[in-house]
């Protein structure tokens, strides 16, 4: 176990002209990450992902809770914890004027890497940055900066890497590329804690994940387990009479959910349920505008646990 | 600890000089003051020559570079607060005060280079100064700069906003300059200003600098200035190191 955390809490107080406001950013989050595992924190904007990671990275002191990271107590031995970490923040931490090479070299030196020059060259090479290495940080594109950011967090070969929303702002190809690199980390034995608000990312990349919302853990497990828990498939119907349709198909479904003119029907085996479901609707005279059959996704898990879809939750925050 | 401070100092210096045009501009400013302000001042010094004016103005110009050059150096920290690199260093095993101390040390190095240049120009223009006086002037200037640089880093970490920071600095700048007798010696000032002047630490630095340029080593202004600025430098540097805790916000 490389991270064992229990009951982490953090409340922020902000003062503005409108008076003092308190935000309960994290309210009792616990997580266990195994050595060599990619563990995901999935949640909408404002869920408390960054705050959780920053607490674990020794940047902010939790109001309550305990954590042991790489065998060291987070509160009592923060310096020892830091020695085992690589940390890539949501902002990235790439400086404007210094070159990528200078920044990575400096990071290697600070971490006391034996041969900083070689470690830097290797990190640059690993992330395809050799060509860009001597350009000032500010001249790099968003995706290039991301790669520099991750190289900065990895140059000293930490056993544990924190990645806060590592693929935000990347194009699909660079995203897939980065996923591959993160998977390679797992092969080399590095444990990764990453946060994301992309369902596909959590699904494709993580060995295990937790879903957070409003500072609380709403679900935890492997992506497959979580989806199985909701059910195998989801049939989405668009109709003028969603209430009536829900009533009709209730007997065939594990669960139904109405959202405006949208009816989601959760079933174990979509392919075989669909014909019967259509027949029943026809008999009741419910007309459909559209119909779709999908494997259930992590969004359905989120929906089942919080009553909102991840997309709506993000927009509201 | 010392290793990390040196690492950060070297890193910051390399950044500073990677584009030598900016430090060069920084050096131009005090030179321009010397070349353009001293002749102006000459007309105000009774029976004065350019050398007399320079002897009075050069120490002021040096303190001016020390304070106002360094006061703006904290802006770099605000950018790094925003792009997350400060946070990155805070999570590294770096000895945290080194992050700030490296910057303050960088400012000292730049200051000494600027000071040497100003002195060379002043000497070329005819000013004469003893070796001991010269070393003391440089030390005094370094202490002044240390204070201003520490203050600037602390302000940056506390205010965290470029706009707020420049307004704050500007607010203090003019009164500090005029009440310190930097541009026009305080002897020309009305009574109330002369009463206020001793409360301005810069006043002591400039008085001491002028005494040193005149070779009046026994002047009490010199130990007073050193005492004031050593205390202030220690305080401001400690404050800026403590402000680092606010990195996480
Ligand atoms: N320094 C701070 N001061 C005050 N409030 C804060 C601070 N940092 C975070 N918050 C608040 O805490 C809550 C959780 O923020 P956090 O950054 O952890 O969310 P997140 O899950 O990382 O979201 P995102 O996906 O947008 O990055 C938000 O409501 C945010 O406004
Ligand atoms: Mg975040």
């Amino acid at each position: 176990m490389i991270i064992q955390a229990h009951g982490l809490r953090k409340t922020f107080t902000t003062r503005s002209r409108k008076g003092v406001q308190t935000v309960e950013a994290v309210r009792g989050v616990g997580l266990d990450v195994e050595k060599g595992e990619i563990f995901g924190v999935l949640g909408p904007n404002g869920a408390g992902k960054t705050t959780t990671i920053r607490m674990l990275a020794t940047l902010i002191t939790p109001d309550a809770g305990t954590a042991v990271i790489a065998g060291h107590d987070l509160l009592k031995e923060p310096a020892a914890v830091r020695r085992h970490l690589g940390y890539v923040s949501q902002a990235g931490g790439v400086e404007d004027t210094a070159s990528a090479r200078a920044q990575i070299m400096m990071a290697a030196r600070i971490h006391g890497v034996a041969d900083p020059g070689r470690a830097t060259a290797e990190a640059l090479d690993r992330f395809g940055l050799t060509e860009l290495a001597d350009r000032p940080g500010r001249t790099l594109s968003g995706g290039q900066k991301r790669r520099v950011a991750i190289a900065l967090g990895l140059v000293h070969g930490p056993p544990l890497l924190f990645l806060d929303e590592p693929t935000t702002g990347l194009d699909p190809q660079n995203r897939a590329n980065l996923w591959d690199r993160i998977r390679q980390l797992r092969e080399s034995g590095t444990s990764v804690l990453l946060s994301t608000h992309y369902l596909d990312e959590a699904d494709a990349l993580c060995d295990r994940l937790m879903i957070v919302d409003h500072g609380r853990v709403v679900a935890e497990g492997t992506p497959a387990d979580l989806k199985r828990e909701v059910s195998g498939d989801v049939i989405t119907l668009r109709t003028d009479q969603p209430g009536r349709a829900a009533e009709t198909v209730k007997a065939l479904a594990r669960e139904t959910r109405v959202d405006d003119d949208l009816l989601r029907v959760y079933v174990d085996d979509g392919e075989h349920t669909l014909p019967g479901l259509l027949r029943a609707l026809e008999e009741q005279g419910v007309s459909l505008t559209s119909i779709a059959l999908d494997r259930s996704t992590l969004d359905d898990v989120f929906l089942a646990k919080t009553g909102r879809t991840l997309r709506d939750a993000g927009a509201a925050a | 600890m010392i290793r990390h401070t040196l690492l950060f100092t070297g890193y910051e210096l390399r950044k500073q000089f990677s584009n030598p045009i900016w430090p060069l501009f920084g050096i131009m400013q005090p030179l321009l003051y010397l070349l353009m302000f001293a002749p102006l001042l000459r007309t105000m010094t009774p029976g004065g020559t350019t050398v007399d004016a320079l002897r009075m103005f050069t120490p002021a110009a040096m303190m001016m570079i020390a304070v106002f050059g360094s006061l703006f150096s904290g802006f770099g920290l605000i950018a790094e607060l925003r792009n997350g690199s400060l946070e990155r260093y805070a999570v590294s095993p770096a000895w945290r005060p080194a992050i700030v101390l490296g910057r303050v040390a960088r400012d000292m190095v730049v200051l000494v280079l600027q000071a040497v240049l100003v002195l060379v120009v002043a000497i070329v223009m005819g000013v004469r100064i003893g070796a001991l006086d010269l070393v003391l002037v440089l030390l005094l200037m370094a202490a002044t700069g240390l204070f201003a640089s520490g203050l600037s880093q602390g302000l940056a970490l506390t205010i965290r906003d470029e706009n707020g920071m420049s307004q704050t600095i500007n607010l203090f700048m003019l009164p500090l300059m005029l009440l310190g007798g930097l541009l026009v010696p305080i002897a020309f000032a009305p009574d109330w200003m002369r009463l206020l002047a001793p409360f301005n630490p810069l006043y002591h630095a400039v008085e001491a600098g002028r005494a040193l340029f005149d070779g009046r080593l026994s002047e009490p202004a010199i130990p007073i200035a050193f005492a004031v600025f050593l205390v202030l430098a220690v305080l401001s540097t400690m404050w800026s190191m403590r402000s680092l805790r606010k990195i996480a916000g």
Side-chain angles (χ1 to χ4, degrees):
Chain A
M1 214 60 98
I2 193 140
I3 304 181
Q4 279 178 294
H6 301 284
L8 293 176
R9 280 179 177 279
K10 184 74 200 178
T11 304
F12 289 109
T13 322
T14 49
R15 279 173 210 89
S16 69
R17 218 164 301 156
K18 293 208 180 97
V20 178
Q21 262 189 331
T22 58
V23 184
E24 286 185 76
V26 175
R27 354 184 173 193
V29 164
L31 64 150
D32 293 318
V33 179
E34 296 281 355
K35 277 209 176 77
E37 179 174 59
I38 301 181
F39 188 91
V41 181
L42 174 68
N45 287 142
K49 305 183 292 295
T50 297
T51 308
T52 304
I53 292 186
R54 287 168 62 140
M55 282 194 280
L56 294 173
T58 75
L59 277 169
I60 40 183
T61 320
D63 295 335
T66 57
V68 177
I69 296 174
H72 297 279
D73 188 284
L74 177 68
L75 300 173
K76 293 199 196 92
E77 315 164 78
V81 169
R82 273 181 225 134
R83 275 199 295 277
H84 293 85
L85 287 189
Y87 170 70
V88 182
S89 67
Q90 198 166 353
V94 179
E95 296 168 53
D96 284 342
T97 48
S99 69
R101 189 191 304 279
Q103 295 183 45
I104 296 175
M105 182 86 99
M106 176 65 179
R109 290 211 170 109
I110 285 290
H111 280 93
V113 172
D115 185 347
R118 215 183 70 196
T120 303
E122 271 170 17
L124 287 168
D125 183 52
R126 190 158 163 198
F127 289 91
L129 292 165
T130 310
E131 307 269 290
L132 318 165
D134 296 300
R135 280 169 42 184
R138 93 184 97 79
T139 67
L140 301 175
S141 81
Q144 292 164 343
K145 259 191 203 164
R146 266 287 140 200
R147 296 199 324 255
V148 175
I150 297 176
L152 279 167
L154 271 177
V155 64
H156 56 294
L160 175 62
L161 181 66
F162 290 162
L163 297 171
D164 197 359
E165 302 203 10
T167 64
T168 303
L170 293 190
D171 65 28
Q173 196 184 343
N174 268 309
R175 215 147 74 93
N177 219 320
L178 194 55
W179 288 0
D180 285 339
R181 295 223 166 86
I182 296 173
R183 286 196 195 98
Q184 283 163 14
L185 286 179
R186 172 173 49 195
E187 278 148 33
S188 65
T190 309
S191 317
V192 179
L193 175 72
L194 71 86
S195 78
T196 179
H197 52 239
Y198 294 120
L199 299 157
D200 54 344
E201 184 162 298
D203 208 347
L205 205 52
C206 300
D207 299 313
R208 283 191 314 126
L209 62 99
M210 65 180 192
I211 301 181
V212 290
D213 186 37
H214 293 306
R216 286 203 179 85
V217 181
V218 295
E220 197 198 317
T222 67
D225 283 345
L226 286 173
K227 286 183 289 186
R228 202 171 309 128
E229 203 178 301
V230 187
S231 86
D233 298 316
V234 51
I235 301 169
T236 312
L237 307 165
R238 201 175 283 276
T239 164
D240 294 338
Q241 304 152 279
R244 179 122 172 263
E247 205 55 42
T248 312
V249 304
K250 213 172 200 166
L252 299 167
R254 277 185 32 171
E255 205 186 335
T256 60
R257 208 170 255 286
V258 177
D259 214 352
D260 288 336
D261 62 344
L262 222 54
L263 171 66
R264 285 191 184 81
V265 187
Y266 294 92
V267 296
D268 288 325
D269 179 354
E271 272 123 36
H272 291 96
T273 317
L274 198 51
L277 181 138
L278 285 175
R279 211 174 311 121
L281 286 171
E282 185 138 21
E283 274 163 19
Q284 289 296 315
V286 178
S287 65
L288 302 175
T289 357
S290 73
I291 183 163
L293 169 64
D294 298 292
R295 301 269 171 255
S296 66
T297 66
L298 290 175
D299 202 13
D300 298 303
V301 180
F302 190 79
L303 183 63
K305 302 284 182 183
T306 67
R308 298 169 300 149
T309 70
L310 206 47
R311 208 165 298 114
D312 297 343
Chain B
M1 268 163 51
I2 293 173
R3 196 180 79 85
H4 282 163
T5 307
L6 289 177
L7 261 178
F8 273 102
T9 310
Y11 181 65
E12 290 299 328
L13 279 172
R14 243 170 287 133
K15 267 203 297 195
Q16 186 94 2
F17 290 103
S18 67
N19 187 351
I21 198 81
W22 302 129
L24 201 70
F25 275 23
I27 287 174
M28 291 298 289
Q29 193 193 330
L31 285 187
L32 288 176
Y33 262 112
L34 271 194
L35 294 174
M36 303 177 79
F37 198 75
L40 256 181
L41 209 61
R42 190 182 121 199
T43 56
M44 296 173 60
T45 7
T49 61
T50 304
V51 170
D52 289 334
L54 272 178
R55 198 178 299 137
M56 196 165 74
F57 185 64
T58 311
M62 292 176 73
M63 298 313 151
M64 202 139 80
I65 317 167
V67 174
F68 301 120
S70 312
L71 262 185
F72 284 97
S73 90
F75 277 96
L77 266 183
I78 300 184
E80 314 226 317
L81 214 50
R82 193 160 297 145
N83 67 29
S85 53
L86 215 54
E87 200 171 281
R88 180 159 61 76
Y89 288 122
V91 181
S92 78
W95 181 56
R96 285 193 183 182
I99 302 172
V100 160
L101 289 179
R103 282 155 197 280
V104 174
R106 168 204 62 196
D107 291 348
M108 293 304 98
V109 172
V110 173
L111 258 188
V112 169
L113 288 179
Q114 291 181 321
V116 167
L117 198 77
V118 168
L119 282 170
V120 166
V121 170
I123 288 170
V124 165
M125 287 170 80
V127 175
R128 290 292 168 261
I129 179 169
L132 177 62
D133 306 320
L134 189 128
V135 170
L136 285 176
V137 162
L138 280 178
L139 280 178
L140 182 60
M141 184 180 178
T144 315
L146 189 63
F147 156 67
S149 174
L151 186 68
S152 181
Q153 318 301 332
L155 278 176
L157 290 170
T158 307
I159 301 176
R160 314 176 134 236
D161 169 62
E162 283 92 348
N163 192 27
M165 172 114 172
S166 61
Q167 301 297 346
T168 312
I169 294 175
N170 281 327
L171 177 69
F172 289 108
M173 205 135 122
L174 193 70
L176 274 178
M177 258 207 305
L178 293 180
L179 275 181
L182 258 70
L183 294 179
V184 181
I186 210 74
F188 291 96
D191 286 345
W192 66 269
M193 274 179 115
R194 256 185 284 179
L195 277 176
L196 278 179
F199 294 100
N200 177 357
L202 267 187
Y203 166 79
H204 300 287
V206 174
E207 286 298 301
R210 290 198 174 124
L212 286 168
F213 264 73
D214 288 344
R216 290 179 274 125
L217 263 177
S218 55
E219 192 84 9
I222 298 170
I224 292 179
F226 270 100
V228 166
F229 274 94
L230 282 179
V231 170
L232 284 178
V234 168
L235 285 180
S236 79
T237 308
M238 273 172 41
W239 178 55
S240 66
M241 286 181 343
R242 282 177 56 97
S243 304
L244 260 187
R245 282 202 212 136
K246 295 176 197 150
I247 285 182

